[in-house]
Amino acid sequence: MRAAAGARRGGRGLGAAQPIGSEGARRARPGLDPTTSVHTEPGCCLSLILNFIFQGDLGPFNPGLPVEVPVWLAINLKQRQKCRIIPPEWMDVGKLEEIRDQERKEDTFTPMPSPYYMELTKLLLNYASDNIPRADEIRTLVKDTWDTRMAKLRLSADSFVRQQEVHAKVDNLTLMEINTTRTFLTQALDHMYKLRTNLQPGESSHSQDF
């Protein structure tokens, strides 16, 4: 089964028609800034309900029944109005309020419901907000949790640099969270290394004077 060529939703062109579930369709999936990595993660899937008979490299699947598919395929089908996405269990206002409150109480990082909680939230709110109950509240709660964790991460990084540590262990961080501080930490450590290197000759000559 092929999608109509040049189909569009929300002003985004999907390009030439591709067999659903094929390698060509996989290459045609949308590239979505920091969320792109979640598309290729083998263990990261979304549940959806199709409104047509699905046949291709994956399937076949029947309409009206929940099925789990890779994230890239779920978003591709949703953009073409071929399915309804079922949000993850944790994407619930009550559960996210508990997660946010727990994160605020703890000094350390608490486990997140998914290692891709931020990526999945961005994807689903951008492309399937009509399938997410209380989407605006979900957006706010995830953002609050993210901000709290980023504040902790900045404090941890600042302490790490000030104390001139050479290694550190931090649990329960996601890949996206680590990437946000990678540039700062690598630059700071490089600067510390250069300072130490420049000081060593001076310290050596000073000791020889005595």
Side-chain angles (χ1 to χ4, degrees), residues 46-116:
L46 286 172
S47 295
L48 53 78
I49 295 178
L50 296 163
N51 54 24
F52 74 114
I53 297 177
F54 180 102
Q55 292 183 344
D57 294 347
L58 303 176
F61 303 121
N62 294 320
L65 298 176
V67 62
E68 196 171 77
V69 302
V71 171
W72 67 264
L73 182 56
I75 298 302
N76 185 285
L77 292 171
K78 178 60 181 177
Q79 285 187 298
R80 297 191 291 198
Q81 304 182 47
K82 298 293 187 180
C83 72
R84 174 172 64 85
I85 291 179
I86 303 173
E89 291 186 3
W90 55 265
M91 199 169 284
D92 169 81
V93 169
K95 292 179 180 179
L96 287 174
E97 285 178 341
E98 293 178 5
I99 292 170
R100 178 201 60 189
D101 294 343
Q102 185 66 23
E103 190 67 45
R104 288 175 172 176
K105 289 178 184 177
E106 299 290 338
D107 292 331
T108 56
F109 297 95
T110 62
M112 288 292 96
S114 166
Y116 304 101

Side-chain angles (χ1 to χ4, degrees), residues 129-190:
S129 60
D130 56 322
N131 295 157
I132 311 297
R134 303 167 71 178
D136 288 339
E137 293 176 71
I138 296 291
R139 188 190 306 273
T140 299
L141 288 167
V142 172
K143 180 65 163 54
D144 289 347
T145 301
W146 171 270
D147 288 345
T148 299
R149 292 171 68 84
M150 288 300 99
K152 289 182 182 181
L153 190 54
R154 284 191 293 270
L155 287 173
S156 298
D158 183 66
S159 175
F160 177 80
V161 172
R162 287 178 180 275
Q163 295 178 23
Q164 300 187 18
E165 300 289 351
V166 294
H167 69 274
K169 179 181 178 181
V170 182
D171 295 324
N172 300 321
L173 283 179
T174 68
L175 182 61
M176 189 171 181
E177 291 167 343
I178 293 173
N179 283 338
T180 61
T181 192
R182 175 182 295 174
T183 301
F184 163 75
L185 271 181
T186 53
Q187 290 179 348
L189 292 173
D190 185 55

Side-chain angles (χ1 to χ4, degrees), residues 2 45 70 72 85 104 116-117 119 122 135 167 196 207:
R2 293 178 179 270
C45 297
W72 67 264
I85 291 179
R104 288 175 172 176
Y116 304 101
Y117 77 97
E119 294 95 322
K122 285 188 173 185
H167 69 274
R196 288 177 178 177
S207 62

